[in-house]
Amino acid sequence: MGHYQWNWAIVFEQVAGTKEYYYQWLITGLGWTVATALCAWVLALVLGSLVGTLRTVPNKWLASLATCYVELFRNIPLIVQLFLWFYVLPEVLPKSAGFWMKQDMPMPEFITAAIGLGLFTSARVAEQVRTGIMALSSGQKNAGLALGFTLPQAYRYVILPMAFRIVIPPMTSEFMNVFKNSAVALAIGVTELTFQMRQITGEYAPGNPIEVMTIVSVIYLILAFSVNRLMALIERRTQVPGYISGGGK
Amino acid sequence: MRKILILSAALATAYMGSVQAEELTGTLQKVNESGIITIGHRESSIPFSYLDDKQKPVGYAMDLCNQVVAAVKKKLNKPSLVVKLVPVTSQTRTALMVNGTVDLECGSTTNSKERQKQVAFSDSYFVTSVRMLVRADSGIKSLDDLNGKPVVTTTGTTSDRYIKQNEQGHSIDVKNVYAKDHAESFLMVETGRAAAFVMDDVLLASLIANNKNPKDFAIVGPALSVEPYGIMMRKDDPQLKRLADETLSTLYKSGEVNKIYDKWFMKPIPPKNITINLPMSEKLKEAIKNPNDVGI
Amino acid sequence: MDFDFAAVRNSADYLWQGFQYSLSLTAFATCFGILFGTLLAMARLSSIKSLNWAASAYVNLFRSIPLLLVIFWFYILVPLMTGVQVGAEKSAYLTFAIFEAAYFCEIMRAGIQSISKGQVAAGYAMGFTYGQNMRYVILPQAFRNVVPLLLTQTIILFQDTSLVYVVGATDLLGAASKVANRDNTPIEMYVSVAIIYLVISFTLSRLVKQLHAKIAVIR
């Protein structure tokens, strides 16, 4: 270790044999990380809210279907799920569709990763949403129904708005998780931040892995911190006077 | 008793010739004092340096390196010199060389100008050409045929830059896709997710040799890059460097190198008795005729 | 399209080896993670400022960066620091123990905080020192309260061990992927691995749920 030749300026050096610089690679990587995480998050919020709500409805069939969905996506490791979407799905589809997925689909790794990560995260979001709904007293739902709301209306105007406020704190950590989990996308070749780090510390600049890894780690810390602040802001903005958010506990 | 000592010393000096007159420096001095020489080897760089079924490092580079070690033993007059084997990876090899953990690295390391800033290389013992592996029925023959097609690169390697670097490559646009290791890159071509896998020809040849249907694949196109491999050692160590170069030269002149080459590239090799089947390239023949350590 | 699930049977021994590694990695990381995590939790709750700060920094650091990145860190750093090529499998033991400790710490902290102030005060009143109080009064109860959470985290940990695949370790997924690449059987291999993970994780999480209900009744 004493012979390690420190060179923090490595990121500002040009990549041998190209016109690019290492910091440009890292910025590209950050771009893909953010893009993958945000796309996955939007998908996870939509699907997760839907599935989470369905788990609380009186209809047994719908509820157990939603439960199956959650158990399926929660009990298989993310990386295996991505492999199923990326390596297995195109092979089990009809030949032409599989071929299209493999060669002609635009940005196949990115789209696969965003959808795969989105589905994985949606199961976790669904659990939070369900917990949020369950935490509300049944009085709220009944009050809504008594006011003449149909069940969907009661969900739409009474239950969900409150439930969403309750779940903001646990959602913060899920939102942070989606950024962290987006690193797994490198396994199917998304050129996100950790991928770029791997690429640089491989044969391009094998002499200075510590500097590159440190810089990448700091970027993730900044990302996590920003997400945390953003969610805190949202929590303050959406507070209902007289109702302590996170009151589910 | 004293006479015998003097006599044996004199004999030893005579036996080892005039070189012995010079004082040992660098690695040889270190090895002489410690009685240990440490070889850095790879674990799966077939057929250069890898573990066989008994977990023993073997290969083309290992055979050549063992000759250098034999020369070291002879020069130091230490037949019982301990040879320590330390596995290295592409990530650790330079660091472990610089910090003194290994004395010679016998693997498949490209002698590059970039690396020469940190370490030194023996004369080249292999020259690899970067070419492309495609499905035999794909009709791909040259770089132009790759326009708009996905090309796979193994993460952590530099092959994604070769197409861009190549003059013919400037005018074409390929989709870069990435896989974790060479086996996975190969699978990408096999399943049709990538049209080509650009890599060192020797690696491509051994991947094909390992496949169930070797006839389905072909190595095509021009050499996108030519890279000489050398035995890596520490910088500014002229004694060891000269010893290594002399050892290789002797093997080259006597034609012994051809036998060693055939053993690893043209005949079945352990652990699975596959044959890589890669005849010696013109570039390597040239490097054997005129040994050099120029690097790229 | 023809599936060759015989490929799974043929490589069963190799997959079993990988699976055993996954299990041993999970077991090791759980034991050391809980041990180290408990110490961290005590540090986080201690009145010594520097200790407190260091433990929080540790926990927040590891909870903010991807596990994958940490796997790469240790994979590259350990050989650089020690000069010994320990290999992907061994370096993962260290990685997971250190990484998971941060998560187990938060669980243990919640457990310790769930013990009422009155009990702590009662312990001190009986003449217990801080250490004795922790050892005999707080930790046993805290531990019991959080057993379901610890087990849930262990299931997550078991799934997370599949990430060692990226550094080429031969865990269950690593073994399957090596076979898949060699024999061109990604469908058979990855589907089998998914089913194995699904069955194990689902069964365990059901058991934890039952346990949780039981503990809740006792309380």
Side-chain angles (χ1 to χ4, degrees), chain A residues 1 3 5 16-18 86-87 90-91 101-104 109 187-189 191 195 198-199 201-204 206, chain B residues 90-91 98-99 114 118 150 153-158 160-161 165 175-178 184 187-188 191-195:
Chain A
M1 201 70 202
H3 294 265
Q5 297 182 337
T18 70
F86 194 69
Y87 288 114
E91 306 296 333
M101 270 192 82
K102 287 192 281 194
Q103 295 226 335
D104 296 330
E109 311 86 11
I188 57 169
T191 56
F195 174 93
R198 179 87 184 119
Q199 190 69 353
T201 59
E203 284 182 9
Y204 279 100
Chain B
S90 52
Q91 225 127 34
V98 173
N99 77 10
E114 193 66 30
Q118 292 191 46
T153 291
T154 304
T155 316
T157 70
T158 50
D160 50 355
R161 72 178 171 190
Q165 261 176 355
K175 284 191 256 178
N176 277 316
V177 295
Y178 295 89
E184 198 167 288
L187 183 74
M188 297 278 244
T191 56
R193 190 177 280 282

Side-chain angles (χ1 to χ4, degrees), chain B residues 87-89 91-92 95-96 101 180-181 183-184 187 190-191 212, chain C residues 75-76 79-80 83 85 165-166 168 177 180-184 186:
Chain B
V88 299
T89 65
Q91 225 127 34
T92 59
L96 294 182
T101 306
K180 180 182 67 99
D181 49 29
E184 198 167 288
L187 183 74
E190 195 171 11
T191 56
K212 275 187 289 193
Chain C
Y75 178 64
I76 291 171
L80 271 179
Q85 199 62 50
Y165 154 89
V166 296
S177 113
N181 293 340
R182 189 193 64 201
D183 301 344
N184 186 12

Side-chain angles (χ1 to χ4, degrees), chain C residues 33-101:
Chain C
I34 291 179
L35 196 72
F36 192 33
T38 308
L39 294 177
L40 274 174
M42 284 159 65
R44 273 201 87 165
L45 295 167
S46 92
S47 47
I48 306 166
K49 269 252 164 65
S50 56
L51 207 58
N52 196 319
W53 186 87
S56 319
Y58 180 99
V59 171
N60 287 328
L61 174 70
F62 280 107
R63 284 169 63 94
S64 303
I65 57 178
L67 172 55
L68 254 188
L69 188 60
V70 183
I71 292 175
F72 281 128
W73 259 110
F74 282 87
Y75 178 64
I76 291 171
L77 202 59
V78 171
L80 271 179
M81 302 245 300
T82 60
V84 183
Q85 199 62 50
V86 292
E89 278 87 3
K90 290 198 185 107
S91 77
Y93 282 103
L94 191 64
T95 313
F96 276 81
I98 286 180
F99 182 84
E100 293 295 332

